[in-house]
Amino acid sequence: LQLETDLRRAIERDEFRVYYQPIVSLASGSILGFEALLRWQHPERGLLNPTDFIPLAEETGLIVQIGYWVLYQACRQMQHWLVNHRNTSLEKISVNLSVKQFSQPDLIERIGQILNSTGLDAKNLVLEITESAIVENGQAIATLSQLQELGIELSIDDFGTGYSSLERLYNFPISVLKIDRSFINPISTDKRNLEIVEIIVSLAHKLGVNVTAEGVETKEQLTFLQNLNCEYAQGYFFSKPLDNLAAIELIRHC
Ligand code: G
Ligand code: G
Ligand code: MN
Ligand code: NA
C-alpha cells in the first residue's frame, strides 16, 4: 500500500505540519490557547487532513510515533510563545491523544520526558481524549489520574458522539468537555440540537467541568453559547487552524 509506505517515511522526510486553532474565552473574548492539529504535506497529494490518514495511522500503530512527534512540536512551540510573548492571555496548548497512544504502558513517562525536554510547565498542557478512547481502556481512570497528578489538564473530545455512561463520566478526573461540532453547527436552525447543547452544558457545570464548544461559525451560535455560560469556543467564526507564523501574528495582536 503506497499510502502506508509514505506514512512510514513521513516523519523522517519532515512532511508533517502542526496547525493551531485558537480557543477563545467567552467571558473575556481573549485567546486562552490553541488546539494543535496535524496536517501532512504529502509530496504528490498536497496538504492532507487527519481524516485522510489518521485511520491508517491507527491501524498500523504508526499513530503512536506520530502522536509523540505532534506532542513534542506543540509543547516546544508553546514554550517558545510563552517565553517570547509574556503579556498575552495565552495559557493552554491542547493536543489530541489517539486511542492507541492513550493505552501505551509508557505514556506517562514519555509525556514527562517531552515536558522536561521542551521546558513546558504541565499546567500549560491540555490533552484531548475521546470518549471512545476512555471507554475502550480498562485503565483509563488510573491513567487520567496520573496525568492529572502531573498537573496536565484533561479534556474529553467529541463529547456527545461516544457512549460513556453518566456513572463513568462522573468519575473521570477531567476539567473540560468539548462539545462535538456536529451539535453546534446546526444550532441556529435545529431546536433538538440546541436542546442537546443546553443539556451538555448544564451536565458539565453540575459536574464542575468547563465546556468548550467546537465548530462555532456564526454570531448567533456564539450568542446562544454565551447565554448558556459556556466557557470556551473554537471555530471558523474566530479562526480556522493556522500555521505557526499566522498563529503568532494573532497572538501579537491580542
Ligand atoms: O484538523 P481537522 O478538523 O481536519 O482534524 C480532524 C480530526 O483529526 C479531529 O477530530 C482531530 O481530533 C484529529 N486530529 C487532529 N490532529 C491530531 C493529532 O495530532 N493526533 C490525533 N490522534 N488526532 C488528531
Ligand atoms: O479535534 P477535532 O476533531 O475536533 O478537530 C477539529 C477539526 O474541526 C479540525 O480539523 C478543524 O479544521 C475543524 N474545524 C474547526 N473549526 C471548524 C468550524 O467552525 N467548522 C467546521 N465545519 N470545521 C471546523
Ligand atoms: Mn480535538
Ligand atoms: Na472534536
Side-chain angles (χ1 to χ4, degrees), residues 54-231:
I54 293 258
L56 180 65
E58 282 275 355
E59 235 174 82
T60 54
L62 287 166
I63 190 67
V64 175
Q65 196 193 349
I66 296 170
Y68 287 125
W69 182 87
V70 174
L71 184 64
Y72 178 79
Q73 299 299 324
C75 289
R76 196 179 64 162
Q77 182 63 264
M78 180 64 175
Q79 179 61 12
H80 181 81
W81 285 333
L82 288 174
V83 168
N84 290 287
H85 303 272
R86 288 173 190 279
N87 47 1
T88 68
S89 58
L90 197 60
E91 248 180 85
K92 305 280 183 186
I93 184 79
S94 292
V95 180
N96 293 284
L97 274 197
S98 79
V99 177
K100 275 237 172 70
Q101 213 183 348
F102 184 59
S103 60
Q104 293 291 303
D106 61 350
L107 177 76
I108 306 293
E109 198 187 327
R110 298 278 308 261
I111 290 176
Q113 285 168 356
I114 289 173
L115 289 172
N116 273 331
S117 63
T118 59
L120 188 73
D121 195 313
K123 71 171 195 288
N124 298 121
L125 177 62
V126 181
L127 293 175
E128 298 193 6
I129 301 151
T130 60
E131 267 183 278
S132 37
I134 295 174
V135 171
E136 285 169 29
N137 181 338
Q139 302 299 309
I141 294 190
T143 305
L144 293 173
S145 301
Q146 284 178 291
L147 291 167
Q148 196 186 44
E149 276 162 27
L150 284 180
I152 295 167
E153 195 170 289
L154 302 165
S155 168
I156 297 195
D157 202 3
D158 303 339
F159 188 77
T161 63
Y163 42 82
S164 43
S165 75
L166 292 181
E167 193 274 334
R168 293 199 64 188
L169 179 63
Y170 198 81
N171 292 310
F172 292 160
I174 55 150
S175 50
V176 179
L177 278 189
K178 290 190 87 167
I179 304 182
D180 192 67
R181 71 170 176 270
S182 59
F183 295 105
I184 306 298
N185 212 279
I187 56 174
S188 45
T189 48
D190 185 334
K191 181 150 184 291
R192 204 173 132 263
N193 275 303
L194 201 130
E195 285 170 354
I196 291 174
V197 171
E198 207 169 332
I199 290 166
I200 295 176
V201 174
S202 99
L203 171 71
H205 289 167
K206 283 240 161 65
L207 294 171
V209 165
N210 289 333
V211 181
T212 303
E214 293 186 329
V216 176
E217 294 184 4
T218 69
K219 181 81 175 101
E220 290 71 39
Q221 292 167 343
L222 174 61
T223 304
F224 173 75
L225 293 161
Q226 281 171 321
N227 289 337
L228 294 180
N229 295 315
C230 175
E231 283 80 9

Side-chain angles (χ1 to χ4, degrees), residues 10-79:
I11 289 187
E12 53 192 88
R13 294 185 176 181
D14 198 25
E15 292 170 354
F16 289 120
R17 304 285 177 266
V18 182
Y19 275 57
Y20 298 91
Q21 187 176 38
I23 299 172
V24 175
S25 274
L26 295 186
S28 62
S30 57
I31 295 177
L32 171 79
F34 292 98
E35 178 177 3
L37 293 161
L38 182 62
R39 299 289 182 264
W40 180 9
Q41 188 64 59
H42 190 281
E44 283 109 38
R45 298 177 197 223
L47 195 66
L48 302 182
N49 283 333
T51 41
D52 303 325
F53 61 90
I54 293 258
L56 180 65
E58 282 275 355
E59 235 174 82
T60 54
L62 287 166
I63 190 67
V64 175
Q65 196 193 349
I66 296 170
Y68 287 125
W69 182 87
V70 174
L71 184 64
Y72 178 79
Q73 299 299 324
C75 289
R76 196 179 64 162
Q77 182 63 264
M78 180 64 175
Q79 179 61 12

